[in-house]
Amino acid sequence: MSDKFDVIVIGGGPAGYHAAIRAAQLGLKTAVVDAWAGKDGKAALGGTCLNVGCIPSKALLDSSKQFYNLAHNLPAHGISVENAKVDLKTFIGRKEKIVKQFTGGVAQLFKANKITSYFGTGKLLKGNEVEISGNDGQKQTISATNVILASGSVPIELPFAKFDGKHIIDNAGALELDAVPKRLGVIGAGVIGLELGSVWRRLGAEVTVLEALPEFLGAADPDIAKVAFKEFGKLGLDIKLGAKLTKAEVSKNEVHITYNDKDGDHDLVVDKLLVAVGRRAYTDGLLSEDCGVKLDERGRIVVDEHCHTGVDGVWAVGDAVRGPMLAHKGFEEGMAVAEWIGGKAGHVNYDTIPWVIYTEPEIAWAGKTEKQLKEEGVPYKVGSFPFAAVGRAVAMNEAIGQVKMIAHAETDRILGVHMVGPGVSELIAECVVAMEFKGSAEDMARIVHAHPTLSEAVHEAALSVDKRAIHKGN
Ligand code: NAD
Protein backbone atom coordinates (compact mmCIF):
# COMPACT_ATOMS: atom_id res chain seq x y z
CA MET A 1 0.00 0.00 0.00
CA SER A 2 1.30 3.47 -0.85
CA ASP A 3 2.04 6.05 1.84
CA LYS A 4 -0.91 8.41 2.28
CA PHE A 5 -0.54 12.05 3.36
CA ASP A 6 -2.78 15.06 3.88
CA VAL A 7 -0.42 17.16 1.76
CA ILE A 8 2.33 16.30 -0.71
CA VAL A 9 4.44 19.18 -1.97
CA ILE A 10 6.39 18.60 -5.19
CA GLY A 11 9.39 20.90 -5.02
CA GLY A 12 11.36 21.95 -1.95
CA GLY A 13 12.25 25.46 -3.10
CA PRO A 14 11.05 28.68 -1.43
CA ALA A 15 7.37 28.24 -2.35
CA GLY A 16 7.34 24.51 -1.63
CA TYR A 17 9.15 24.48 1.69
CA HIS A 18 7.06 27.36 3.05
CA ALA A 19 3.90 25.47 2.01
CA ALA A 20 5.15 22.28 3.69
CA ILE A 21 6.18 23.90 6.97
CA ARG A 22 2.94 25.85 7.26
CA ALA A 23 0.90 22.72 6.46
CA ALA A 24 2.80 20.76 9.11
CA GLN A 25 2.27 23.59 11.64
CA LEU A 26 -1.45 23.21 11.01
CA GLY A 27 -1.27 19.54 11.96
CA LEU A 28 -1.41 18.15 8.42
CA LYS A 29 0.60 15.02 7.62
CA THR A 30 3.00 16.41 5.04
CA ALA A 31 5.57 15.13 2.56
CA VAL A 32 7.94 16.94 0.23
CA VAL A 33 9.40 15.44 -2.93
CA ASP A 34 12.54 17.20 -4.17
CA ALA A 35 15.29 16.07 -6.53
CA TRP A 36 17.92 18.80 -6.05
CA ALA A 37 21.30 17.22 -5.34
CA GLY A 38 24.24 19.14 -3.90
CA LYS A 39 27.83 18.68 -5.01
CA ASP A 40 28.12 15.67 -2.68
CA GLY A 41 25.17 14.01 -4.46
CA LYS A 42 23.04 14.35 -1.34
CA ALA A 43 19.65 16.10 -1.12
CA ALA A 44 19.95 19.90 -1.05
CA LEU A 45 16.59 21.41 -0.17
CA GLY A 46 15.79 25.05 -0.91
CA GLY A 47 15.62 24.98 -4.71
CA THR A 48 17.09 27.67 -6.91
CA CYS A 49 16.91 30.35 -4.19
CA LEU A 50 19.18 28.60 -1.71
CA ASN A 51 21.36 26.58 -4.11
CA VAL A 52 22.07 28.86 -7.08
CA GLY A 53 19.94 31.98 -6.66
CA CYS A 54 19.11 34.54 -3.99
CA ILE A 55 21.45 33.41 -1.23
CA PRO A 56 24.67 32.49 -3.09
CA SER A 57 24.39 35.56 -5.32
CA LYS A 58 24.04 37.79 -2.26
CA ALA A 59 27.09 36.12 -0.72
CA LEU A 60 29.17 36.93 -3.81
CA LEU A 61 27.68 40.42 -4.12
CA ASP A 62 28.71 41.15 -0.57
CA SER A 63 32.23 39.72 -0.93
CA SER A 64 32.82 41.57 -4.19
CA LYS A 65 31.48 44.80 -2.70
CA GLN A 66 33.96 44.54 0.18
CA PHE A 67 36.81 44.12 -2.30
CA TYR A 68 35.63 46.94 -4.58
CA ASN A 69 35.24 49.31 -1.63
CA LEU A 70 38.90 48.85 -0.67
CA ALA A 71 39.99 50.76 -3.75
CA HIS A 72 36.92 52.85 -4.49
CA ASN A 73 35.29 53.86 -1.22
CA LEU A 74 37.82 53.55 1.59
CA PRO A 75 40.30 56.15 0.22
CA ALA A 76 37.62 58.82 0.74
CA HIS A 77 37.60 57.79 4.42
CA GLY A 78 41.37 58.24 4.55
CA ILE A 79 41.99 54.52 4.56
CA SER A 80 44.24 52.92 2.01
CA VAL A 81 45.06 49.32 1.37
CA GLU A 82 47.79 48.33 -0.98
CA ASN A 83 47.95 45.24 -3.15
CA ALA A 84 44.53 43.98 -2.18
CA LYS A 85 43.94 40.55 -3.68
CA VAL A 86 41.03 38.19 -3.98
CA ASP A 87 41.53 34.54 -3.19
CA LEU A 88 38.83 33.12 -5.44
CA LYS A 89 38.83 29.76 -3.69
CA THR A 90 37.92 31.39 -0.39
CA PHE A 91 35.56 33.80 -2.16
CA ILE A 92 33.57 30.92 -3.73
CA GLY A 93 34.11 28.63 -0.73
CA ARG A 94 32.45 31.12 1.65
CA LYS A 95 29.40 31.16 -0.60
CA GLU A 96 29.30 27.36 -0.65
CA LYS A 97 29.44 27.16 3.14
CA ILE A 98 26.50 29.56 3.36
CA VAL A 99 24.53 27.49 0.84
CA LYS A 100 25.21 24.30 2.80
CA GLN A 101 24.20 25.97 6.05
CA PHE A 102 20.86 27.04 4.61
CA THR A 103 19.99 23.89 2.62
CA GLY A 104 20.85 21.85 5.72
CA GLY A 105 18.72 24.28 7.73
CA VAL A 106 15.66 23.45 5.64
CA ALA A 107 16.26 19.73 6.21
CA GLN A 108 16.43 20.43 9.97
CA LEU A 109 13.19 22.41 9.83
CA PHE A 110 11.53 19.50 8.01
CA LYS A 111 12.68 17.13 10.75
CA ALA A 112 11.51 19.47 13.49
CA ASN A 113 8.09 19.73 11.83
CA LYS A 114 7.87 15.96 11.16
CA ILE A 115 7.73 16.45 7.40
CA THR A 116 8.62 13.36 5.37
CA SER A 117 11.25 14.16 2.77
CA TYR A 118 11.59 12.13 -0.45
CA PHE A 119 14.77 12.63 -2.48
CA GLY A 120 13.65 12.23 -6.08
CA THR A 121 11.54 13.56 -8.93
CA GLY A 122 7.81 13.73 -8.41
CA LYS A 123 5.17 13.30 -11.09
CA LEU A 124 1.51 14.04 -10.49
CA LEU A 125 -0.72 11.14 -11.52
CA LYS A 126 -4.51 11.03 -11.75
CA GLY A 127 -6.31 10.87 -8.40
CA ASN A 128 -3.73 12.90 -6.43
CA GLU A 129 -1.12 10.18 -6.55
CA VAL A 130 2.53 11.15 -6.90
CA GLU A 131 5.06 8.87 -8.55
CA ILE A 132 8.56 9.37 -7.20
CA SER A 133 11.59 8.43 -9.28
CA GLY A 134 14.14 8.33 -6.50
CA ASN A 135 17.65 9.67 -6.99
CA ASP A 136 18.66 6.14 -5.92
CA GLY A 137 16.90 4.71 -9.02
CA GLN A 138 13.91 3.31 -7.09
CA LYS A 139 10.31 4.16 -7.99
CA GLN A 140 7.39 4.43 -5.61
CA THR A 141 3.94 5.98 -5.51
CA ILE A 142 2.49 7.99 -2.65
CA SER A 143 -0.86 9.79 -2.41
CA ALA A 144 -2.51 12.68 -0.60
CA THR A 145 -5.76 14.57 -0.22
CA ASN A 146 -3.93 17.67 -1.45
CA VAL A 147 -0.94 18.04 -3.75
CA ILE A 148 0.90 21.35 -4.08
CA LEU A 149 2.99 21.75 -7.22
CA ALA A 150 6.01 23.98 -6.57
CA SER A 151 8.40 22.90 -9.31
CA GLY A 152 9.95 26.35 -9.86
CA SER A 153 11.66 27.64 -12.96
CA VAL A 154 14.80 27.18 -15.07
CA PRO A 155 16.85 29.64 -17.13
CA ILE A 156 15.62 30.26 -20.67
CA GLU A 157 18.10 28.96 -23.21
CA LEU A 158 18.68 30.84 -26.44
CA PRO A 159 18.77 28.41 -29.39
CA PHE A 160 21.82 30.18 -30.85
CA ALA A 161 23.71 30.40 -27.54
CA LYS A 162 23.14 27.07 -25.83
CA PHE A 163 24.55 26.61 -22.34
CA ASP A 164 27.68 24.47 -22.32
CA GLY A 165 28.48 25.11 -18.65
CA LYS A 166 32.02 26.17 -19.53
CA HIS A 167 31.95 29.18 -21.84
CA ILE A 168 28.24 29.88 -22.24
CA ILE A 169 26.80 29.84 -18.75
CA ASP A 170 23.63 30.49 -16.78
CA ASN A 171 23.26 32.02 -13.31
CA ALA A 172 24.52 28.84 -11.66
CA GLY A 173 27.65 28.83 -13.83
CA ALA A 174 28.32 32.49 -13.06
CA LEU A 175 28.42 31.66 -9.33
CA GLU A 176 31.13 29.05 -9.87
CA LEU A 177 33.86 30.60 -12.02
CA ASP A 178 37.30 29.39 -11.03
CA ALA A 179 39.04 32.51 -12.34
CA VAL A 180 37.99 36.09 -12.94
CA PRO A 181 37.27 36.24 -16.69
CA LYS A 182 39.16 38.96 -18.49
CA ARG A 183 36.11 39.66 -20.66
CA LEU A 184 32.61 38.71 -19.58
CA GLY A 185 29.64 39.07 -21.92
CA VAL A 186 26.18 39.24 -20.36
CA ILE A 187 23.02 38.80 -22.38
CA GLY A 188 20.10 40.57 -20.70
CA ALA A 189 20.29 43.67 -18.47
CA GLY A 190 17.73 42.14 -16.11
CA VAL A 191 18.07 41.30 -12.45
CA ILE A 192 20.52 38.40 -12.86
CA GLY A 193 22.59 40.12 -15.55
CA LEU A 194 23.04 43.25 -13.44
CA GLU A 195 23.73 41.46 -10.16
CA LEU A 196 26.18 38.87 -11.46
CA GLY A 197 27.68 41.30 -13.98
CA SER A 198 28.42 43.58 -10.99
CA VAL A 199 30.09 40.76 -9.03
CA TRP A 200 32.65 39.99 -11.75
CA ARG A 201 33.13 43.63 -12.76
CA ARG A 202 34.04 44.48 -9.16
CA LEU A 203 36.70 41.76 -9.30
CA GLY A 204 38.16 43.28 -12.46
CA ALA A 205 36.42 41.65 -15.44
CA GLU A 206 35.59 43.82 -18.46
CA VAL A 207 31.83 43.37 -18.59
CA THR A 208 29.69 44.08 -21.65
CA VAL A 209 25.94 43.73 -21.17
CA LEU A 210 23.72 43.38 -24.23
CA GLU A 211 20.08 44.27 -23.66
CA ALA A 212 17.56 43.66 -26.45
CA LEU A 213 15.14 46.37 -25.32
CA PRO A 214 15.88 50.02 -26.11
CA GLU A 215 14.94 51.05 -22.59
CA PHE A 216 16.98 50.27 -19.46
CA LEU A 217 15.07 48.44 -16.69
CA GLY A 218 11.73 49.00 -18.35
CA ALA A 219 9.74 47.71 -15.35
CA ALA A 220 11.31 50.27 -12.98
CA ASP A 221 10.47 53.97 -12.59
CA PRO A 222 12.43 55.84 -15.31
CA ASP A 223 13.94 58.34 -12.80
CA ILE A 224 15.26 55.42 -10.76
CA ALA A 225 16.49 53.53 -13.84
CA LYS A 226 18.32 56.66 -15.03
CA VAL A 227 20.33 56.99 -11.80
CA ALA A 228 21.09 53.25 -11.82
CA PHE A 229 22.24 53.33 -15.44
CA LYS A 230 24.64 56.17 -14.69
CA GLU A 231 26.04 54.47 -11.60
CA PHE A 232 26.50 51.13 -13.37
CA GLY A 233 28.39 53.04 -16.06
CA LYS A 234 30.70 54.44 -13.37
CA LEU A 235 31.29 50.90 -12.09
CA GLY A 236 32.37 50.05 -15.61
CA LEU A 237 29.44 47.94 -16.81
CA ASP A 238 29.28 48.63 -20.53
CA ILE A 239 25.53 48.31 -21.10
CA LYS A 240 24.45 48.36 -24.73
CA LEU A 241 20.72 48.92 -25.17
CA GLY A 242 18.68 47.77 -28.16
CA ALA A 243 21.36 45.14 -28.75
CA LYS A 244 20.08 41.71 -29.77
CA LEU A 245 22.37 38.71 -29.69
CA THR A 246 22.16 36.82 -32.99
CA LYS A 247 25.09 34.40 -32.80
CA ALA A 248 27.46 32.96 -30.22
CA GLU A 249 30.15 30.45 -31.13
CA VAL A 250 32.82 28.97 -28.94
CA SER A 251 36.24 28.67 -30.51
CA LYS A 252 39.73 28.48 -29.01
CA ASN A 253 38.54 29.09 -25.46
CA GLU A 254 36.67 32.26 -26.47
CA VAL A 255 33.05 33.08 -27.28
CA HIS A 256 32.59 34.92 -30.57
CA ILE A 257 29.37 36.92 -30.46
CA THR A 258 27.42 38.76 -33.09
CA TYR A 259 24.77 41.23 -32.02
CA ASN A 260 22.54 43.58 -33.89
CA ASP A 261 21.50 47.13 -32.97
CA LYS A 262 20.23 50.23 -34.80
CA ASP A 263 23.64 50.65 -36.43
CA GLY A 264 23.76 47.10 -37.82
CA ASP A 265 25.74 43.97 -36.90
CA HIS A 266 28.66 44.02 -34.45
CA ASP A 267 31.15 41.40 -33.32
CA LEU A 268 32.38 40.93 -29.79
CA VAL A 269 34.77 38.38 -28.32
CA VAL A 270 34.51 37.39 -24.65
CA ASP A 271 35.97 34.68 -22.43
CA LYS A 272 32.66 33.78 -20.78
CA LEU A 273 29.11 34.53 -21.83
CA LEU A 274 26.39 34.69 -19.18
CA VAL A 275 22.94 34.31 -20.72
CA ALA A 276 20.32 35.79 -18.39
CA VAL A 277 17.30 36.46 -20.58
CA GLY A 278 14.67 35.33 -18.10
CA ARG A 279 13.39 32.05 -16.71
CA ARG A 280 10.59 29.69 -17.69
CA ALA A 281 8.30 27.64 -15.49
CA TYR A 282 9.78 24.19 -14.98
CA THR A 283 7.19 21.48 -15.51
CA ASP A 284 9.17 18.93 -17.54
CA GLY A 285 7.92 15.46 -16.60
CA LEU A 286 5.80 16.89 -13.75
CA LEU A 287 2.33 16.05 -15.01
CA SER A 288 0.90 12.79 -16.31
CA GLU A 289 -1.28 13.27 -19.39
CA ASP A 290 -4.46 12.34 -17.54
CA CYS A 291 -3.85 14.34 -14.31
CA GLY A 292 -6.07 17.17 -15.54
CA VAL A 293 -3.72 20.09 -14.73
CA LYS A 294 -3.36 22.57 -17.59
CA LEU A 295 -0.47 24.75 -18.77
CA ASP A 296 -0.90 28.20 -20.34
CA GLU A 297 0.73 29.48 -23.55
CA ARG A 298 3.95 30.24 -21.63
CA GLY A 299 4.14 26.78 -20.11
CA ARG A 300 3.02 27.93 -16.65
CA ILE A 301 0.61 25.86 -14.56
CA VAL A 302 -2.85 27.43 -14.84
CA VAL A 303 -4.25 28.48 -11.45
CA ASP A 304 -7.02 30.73 -10.16
CA GLU A 305 -6.55 33.59 -7.67
CA HIS A 306 -6.28 31.01 -4.87
CA CYS A 307 -3.50 29.04 -6.62
CA HIS A 308 -5.96 26.22 -7.32
CA THR A 309 -5.49 24.32 -10.58
CA GLY A 310 -9.15 23.40 -11.02
CA VAL A 311 -8.37 19.73 -10.29
CA ASP A 312 -9.79 18.69 -6.95
CA GLY A 313 -7.07 19.01 -4.27
CA VAL A 314 -4.33 20.14 -6.65
CA TRP A 315 -2.68 23.52 -6.16
CA ALA A 316 0.36 25.25 -7.66
CA VAL A 317 2.58 28.04 -6.36
CA GLY A 318 5.77 30.02 -6.99
CA ASP A 319 7.69 30.42 -10.24
CA ALA A 320 5.70 27.63 -11.92
CA VAL A 321 2.56 29.83 -11.98
CA ARG A 322 1.66 33.36 -13.16
CA GLY A 323 3.05 36.42 -11.41
CA PRO A 324 6.57 37.65 -10.74
CA MET A 325 9.31 35.07 -10.30
CA LEU A 326 10.36 36.20 -6.85
CA ALA A 327 11.14 33.93 -3.91
CA HIS A 328 9.05 36.00 -1.48
CA LYS A 329 6.01 35.82 -3.78
CA GLY A 330 6.45 32.04 -3.68
CA PHE A 331 6.80 32.06 0.15
CA GLU A 332 3.48 33.83 0.52
CA GLU A 333 1.64 31.67 -2.01
CA GLY A 334 2.97 28.51 -0.37
CA MET A 335 1.84 29.58 3.10
CA ALA A 336 -1.52 30.83 1.82
CA VAL A 337 -2.29 27.52 0.08
CA ALA A 338 -1.38 25.56 3.22
CA GLU A 339 -3.75 27.80 5.18
CA TRP A 340 -6.58 27.37 2.66
CA ILE A 341 -6.09 23.60 2.85
CA GLY A 342 -6.06 23.83 6.66
CA GLY A 343 -9.34 25.77 6.69
CA LYS A 344 -7.75 29.13 7.50
CA ALA A 345 -7.82 32.48 5.73
CA GLY A 346 -4.75 32.52 3.47
CA HIS A 347 -3.74 35.88 2.00
CA VAL A 348 -1.44 37.16 -0.75
CA ASN A 349 -1.55 40.82 -1.77
CA TYR A 350 -0.04 40.85 -5.25
CA ASP A 351 -0.25 44.66 -5.33
CA THR A 352 2.41 45.19 -2.67
CA ILE A 353 5.08 42.67 -3.63
CA PRO A 354 8.43 44.46 -3.32
CA TRP A 355 11.05 44.22 -6.05
CA VAL A 356 14.71 44.50 -5.15
CA ILE A 357 17.84 44.48 -7.27
CA TYR A 358 20.90 43.99 -5.07
CA THR A 359 23.35 46.01 -7.11
CA GLU A 360 25.28 49.03 -5.86
CA PRO A 361 23.39 51.26 -5.53
CA GLU A 362 20.47 49.00 -4.72
CA ILE A 363 17.15 49.40 -6.50
CA ALA A 364 13.79 48.69 -4.86
CA TRP A 365 10.19 49.42 -5.54
CA ALA A 366 6.65 48.42 -4.62
CA GLY A 367 3.29 49.39 -6.06
CA LYS A 368 2.58 51.36 -9.20
CA THR A 369 4.78 53.46 -11.44
CA GLU A 370 3.66 56.83 -12.81
CA LYS A 371 3.32 55.20 -16.24
CA GLN A 372 0.92 52.56 -14.92
CA LEU A 373 -1.17 55.18 -13.10
CA LYS A 374 -1.37 57.34 -16.23
CA GLU A 375 -2.54 54.32 -18.23
CA GLU A 376 -5.15 53.56 -15.56
CA GLY A 377 -6.29 57.20 -15.44
CA VAL A 378 -5.56 57.48 -11.71
CA PRO A 379 -4.73 61.06 -10.54
CA TYR A 380 -1.55 61.16 -8.50
CA LYS A 381 1.05 63.44 -6.92
CA VAL A 382 4.75 62.77 -6.44
CA GLY A 383 7.29 63.53 -3.74
CA SER A 384 10.96 62.72 -3.86
CA PHE A 385 14.08 63.10 -1.78
CA PRO A 386 17.75 62.65 -2.67
CA PHE A 387 20.17 60.70 -0.48
CA ALA A 388 22.62 63.57 -1.09
CA ALA A 389 20.63 65.49 1.55
CA VAL A 390 20.50 62.62 4.06
CA GLY A 391 23.16 63.06 6.75
CA ARG A 392 23.65 59.35 7.33
CA ALA A 393 24.14 58.62 3.61
CA VAL A 394 26.72 61.42 3.34
CA ALA A 395 28.51 60.19 6.48
CA MET A 396 28.69 56.74 4.86
CA ASN A 397 30.03 58.26 1.62
CA GLU A 398 27.10 56.60 -0.17
CA ALA A 399 24.94 59.64 -0.93
CA ILE A 400 23.62 58.41 -4.27
CA GLY A 401 20.08 58.11 -5.56
CA GLN A 402 16.69 59.04 -4.24
CA VAL A 403 13.35 57.91 -2.85
CA LYS A 404 10.28 58.75 -4.88
CA MET A 405 6.81 58.38 -3.42
CA ILE A 406 3.61 58.43 -5.44
CA ALA A 407 0.29 59.11 -3.70
CA HIS A 408 -3.31 59.42 -4.91
CA ALA A 409 -3.98 63.08 -5.78
CA GLU A 410 -7.26 63.14 -3.85
CA THR A 411 -7.05 60.51 -1.09
CA ASP A 412 -3.28 60.82 -0.50
CA ARG A 413 -3.06 56.99 -0.28
CA ILE A 414 0.45 55.74 -1.12
CA LEU A 415 0.25 54.00 -4.51
CA GLY A 416 3.91 53.33 -5.20
CA VAL A 417 7.40 53.91 -3.83
CA HIS A 418 10.53 53.73 -5.98
CA MET A 419 14.08 53.91 -4.72
CA VAL A 420 17.67 53.73 -5.78
CA GLY A 421 20.44 54.22 -3.25
CA PRO A 422 22.15 52.77 -0.19
CA GLY A 423 20.27 50.11 1.74
CA VAL A 424 17.00 50.55 -0.14
CA SER A 425 16.43 46.77 -0.07
CA GLU A 426 15.60 47.30 3.62
CA LEU A 427 13.94 50.73 3.32
CA ILE A 428 11.26 49.39 0.99
CA ALA A 429 9.84 47.25 3.82
CA GLU A 430 8.29 50.15 5.72
CA CYS A 431 6.68 51.41 2.52
CA VAL A 432 5.18 47.97 1.88
CA VAL A 433 3.76 47.99 5.43
CA ALA A 434 2.28 51.45 4.89
CA MET A 435 0.75 50.37 1.58
CA GLU A 436 -0.61 47.13 3.05
CA PHE A 437 -2.31 49.20 5.77
CA LYS A 438 -3.62 51.57 3.07
CA GLY A 439 -1.54 54.35 4.58
CA SER A 440 -1.28 57.85 3.15
CA ALA A 441 1.77 60.00 2.47
CA GLU A 442 0.55 62.15 5.37
CA ASP A 443 0.65 59.08 7.67
CA MET A 444 4.24 58.39 6.64
CA ALA A 445 5.12 62.07 7.04
CA ARG A 446 3.82 62.03 10.64
CA ILE A 447 5.70 58.87 11.65
CA VAL A 448 8.87 59.57 13.65
CA HIS A 449 11.96 58.33 11.81
CA ALA A 450 15.22 58.05 13.73
CA HIS A 451 17.92 60.60 12.97
CA PRO A 452 20.40 60.11 11.47
CA THR A 453 19.23 57.14 9.40
CA LEU A 454 18.76 56.34 5.74
CA SER A 455 15.04 55.98 6.45
CA GLU A 456 14.83 59.78 6.67
CA ALA A 457 14.82 59.72 2.85
CA VAL A 458 11.46 57.91 3.00
CA HIS A 459 10.15 60.38 5.60
CA GLU A 460 11.26 63.40 3.59
CA ALA A 461 9.88 61.93 0.34
CA ALA A 462 6.52 61.60 2.12
CA LEU A 463 6.75 65.23 3.29
CA SER A 464 7.69 66.22 -0.24
CA VAL A 465 4.43 64.75 -1.61
CA ASP A 466 2.81 67.73 0.17
CA LYS A 467 5.68 70.04 -0.85
CA ARG A 468 6.95 70.37 2.68
CA ALA A 469 10.22 68.46 2.71
CA ILE A 470 12.54 70.19 5.16
CA HIS A 471 15.97 69.52 3.71
CA LYS A 472 15.32 70.42 0.08
CA GLY A 473 13.51 73.08 -1.91
CA ASN A 474 9.98 72.02 -2.85
P1 NAD B 1 14.78 39.31 -16.37
O1 NAD B 1 13.45 39.07 -16.95
O2 NAD B 1 14.94 40.10 -15.13
O3 NAD B 1 15.73 40.01 -17.46
C1 NAD B 1 16.01 39.45 -18.73
C2 NAD B 1 16.44 40.56 -19.67
O4 NAD B 1 16.95 39.96 -20.85
C3 NAD B 1 15.30 41.47 -20.09
O5 NAD B 1 15.66 42.81 -19.88
C4 NAD B 1 15.13 41.14 -21.58
O6 NAD B 1 14.71 42.26 -22.35
C5 NAD B 1 16.53 40.72 -21.98
N1 NAD B 1 16.60 39.85 -23.16
C6 NAD B 1 15.76 38.84 -23.50
N2 NAD B 1 16.18 38.24 -24.64
C7 NAD B 1 17.32 38.88 -25.03
C8 NAD B 1 18.24 38.72 -26.12
N3 NAD B 1 18.08 37.77 -27.03
N4 NAD B 1 19.31 39.56 -26.20
C9 NAD B 1 19.49 40.53 -25.25
N5 NAD B 1 18.65 40.73 -24.22
C10 NAD B 1 17.58 39.90 -24.09
O7 NAD B 1 15.42 37.85 -16.23
P2 NAD B 1 16.68 37.32 -15.42
O8 NAD B 1 17.60 38.42 -15.05
O9 NAD B 1 17.19 36.16 -16.23
O10 NAD B 1 16.02 36.77 -14.08
C11 NAD B 1 15.09 35.70 -14.16
C12 NAD B 1 14.06 35.79 -13.07
O11 NAD B 1 14.66 35.59 -11.80
C13 NAD B 1 13.36 37.13 -13.07
O12 NAD B 1 11.98 36.92 -13.05
C14 NAD B 1 13.84 37.78 -11.81
O13 NAD B 1 12.82 38.56 -11.21
C15 NAD B 1 14.24 36.61 -10.92
N6 NAD B 1 15.36 37.04 -10.08
C16 NAD B 1 15.12 37.94 -9.09
C17 NAD B 1 16.16 38.43 -8.33
C18 NAD B 1 15.89 39.45 -7.27
O14 NAD B 1 14.76 39.57 -6.84
N7 NAD B 1 16.88 40.24 -6.85
C19 NAD B 1 17.47 38.03 -8.58
C20 NAD B 1 17.68 37.12 -9.61
C21 NAD B 1 16.61 36.65 -10.34
Side-chain angles (χ1 to χ4, degrees):
M1 220 183 71
S2 74
D3 286 334
K4 171 100 190 164
F5 294 89
D6 296 319
V7 177
I8 297 170
V9 185
I10 302 183
Y17 86 73
H18 276 69
I21 292 173
R22 186 70 191 116
Q25 285 172 347
L26 293 171
L28 299 163
K29 187 181 172 199
T30 304
V32 173
V33 184
D34 190 275
W36 201 297
K39 290 213 172 110
D40 53 6
K42 293 191 180 140
L45 292 163
T48 298
C49 170
L50 294 194
N51 284 287
V52 293
C54 319
I55 299 302
S57 63
K58 260 77 270 169
L60 296 194
L61 276 159
D62 202 66
S63 295
S64 61
K65 179 180 159 181
Q66 308 272 11
F67 177 70
Y68 186 80
N69 281 350
L70 290 177
H72 296 89
N73 196 5
L74 294 192
H77 293 264
I79 302 166
S80 57
V81 179
E82 272 166 33
N83 298 324
K85 279 198 265 327
V86 174
D87 172 26
L88 211 55
K89 225 174 136 193
T90 310
F91 181 88
I92 300 285
R94 189 187 84 95
K95 172 217 58 163
E96 293 192 343
K97 263 192 222 142
I98 294 169
V99 167
K100 234 178 155 55
Q101 178 189 337
F102 277 83
T103 55
V106 177
Q108 287 301 321
L109 290 170
F110 279 9
K111 253 192 212 143
N113 284 282
K114 302 193 173 44
I115 294 166
T116 307
S117 205
Y118 292 92
F119 184 29
T121 305
K123 179 180 196 165
L124 178 70
L125 309 177
K126 203 174 160 189
N128 297 0
E129 294 208 320
V130 173
E131 179 190 80
I132 304 169
S133 305
N135 285 31
D136 58 1
Q138 303 288 315
K139 274 202 183 201
Q140 62 177 309
T141 303
I142 58 176
S143 66
T145 318
N146 287 280
V147 178
I148 304 174
L149 305 170
S151 50
S153 62
V154 287
I156 292 174
E157 190 168 59
L158 293 174
F160 42 86
K162 287 197 177 289
F163 299 121
D164 64 8
K166 195 164 177 241
H167 295 95
I168 304 181
I169 54 178
D170 61 9
N171 57 304
L175 294 168
E176 296 276 313
L177 300 181
D178 52 13
V180 179
K182 187 168 174 321
R183 300 157 300 180
L184 172 68
V186 178
I187 308 302
V191 186
I192 293 177
L194 293 172
E195 290 185 357
L196 293 179
S198 295
V199 166
W200 296 104
R201 173 66 203 138
R202 289 172 189 162
L203 299 197
E206 288 165 23
V207 180
T208 309
V209 185
L210 304 180
E211 167 56 50
L213 297 176
E215 205 183 354
F216 179 63
L217 279 180
D221 177 281
D223 291 335
I224 300 302
K226 206 168 135 192
V227 174
F229 189 77
K230 197 170 145 207
E231 292 302 321
F232 298 155
K234 282 192 208 158
L235 168 66
L237 291 182
D238 181 6
I239 304 173
K240 299 186 189 301
L241 299 174
K244 276 193 201 88
L245 179 75
T246 53
K247 203 166 97 186
E249 271 173 10
V250 179
S251 142
K252 294 190 186 138
N253 223 10
E254 291 178 326
V255 191
H256 295 255
I257 297 170
T258 307
Y259 67 92
N260 183 274
D261 66 12
K262 60 179 181 4
D263 301 321
D265 281 346
H266 307 267
D267 295 325
L268 180 72
V269 182
V270 294
D271 302 298
K272 301 275 179 195
L273 181 66
L274 163 61
V275 179
V277 294
R279 299 177 66 86
R280 64 169 175 87
Y282 180 63
T283 58
D284 303 4
L286 176 71
L287 307 167
S288 69
E289 270 183 27
D290 59 356
C291 74
V293 173
K294 292 192 177 52
L295 301 181
D296 68 13
E297 68 296 344
R298 287 170 59 185
R300 300 172 300 190
I301 299 169
V302 174
V303 287
D304 64 14
E305 69 277 21
H306 288 102
C307 297
H308 195 262
T309 64
V311 176
D312 212 16
V314 182
W315 314 72
V317 292
D319 282 9
V321 305
R322 84 284 177 263
M325 288 186 174
L326 297 171
H328 42 282
K329 174 259 195 186
F331 293 173
E332 299 302 322
E333 285 183 336
M335 291 190 289
V337 165
E339 299 208 334
W340 287 317
I341 291 171
K344 302 230 173 274
H347 167 83
V348 184
N349 183 356
Y350 290 94
D351 292 335
T352 55
I353 294 175
W355 284 80
V356 177
I357 307 179
Y358 299 84
T359 43
E360 211 44 53
E362 292 183 337
I363 300 165
W365 72 89
K368 306 269 183 176
T369 58
E370 287 191 70
K371 188 170 165 229
Q372 286 167 327
L373 293 170
K374 270 188 200 130
E375 281 164 8
E376 291 169 18
V378 177
Y380 64 86
K381 49 191 177 173
V382 179
S384 66
F385 198 78
F387 282 101
V390 175
R392 183 76 191 277
V394 175
M396 290 162 66
N397 198 37
E398 293 186 38
I400 288 161
Q402 61 163 315
V403 173
K404 178 168 167 180
M405 187 174 288
I406 307 175
H408 194 284
E410 288 140 23
T411 66
D412 195 41
R413 182 170 165 184
I414 302 172
L415 301 174
V417 186
H418 305 266
M419 313 175 172
V420 57
V424 299
S425 58
E426 303 293 340
L427 296 185
I428 195 69
E430 73 160 314
C431 302
V432 173
V433 172
M435 288 166 71
E436 188 67 43
F437 291 168
K438 301 184 173 48
S440 64
E442 173 77 14
D443 289 330
M444 188 66 97
R446 286 179 183 276
I447 291 171
V448 182
H449 286 70
H451 173 78
T453 61
L454 297 174
S455 72
E456 287 174 281
V458 176
H459 187 227
E460 288 265 23
L463 285 163
S464 151
V465 170
D466 194 32
K467 304 215 177 316
R468 56 190 173 103
I470 299 296
H471 295 93
K472 74 160 200 177
N474 287 289

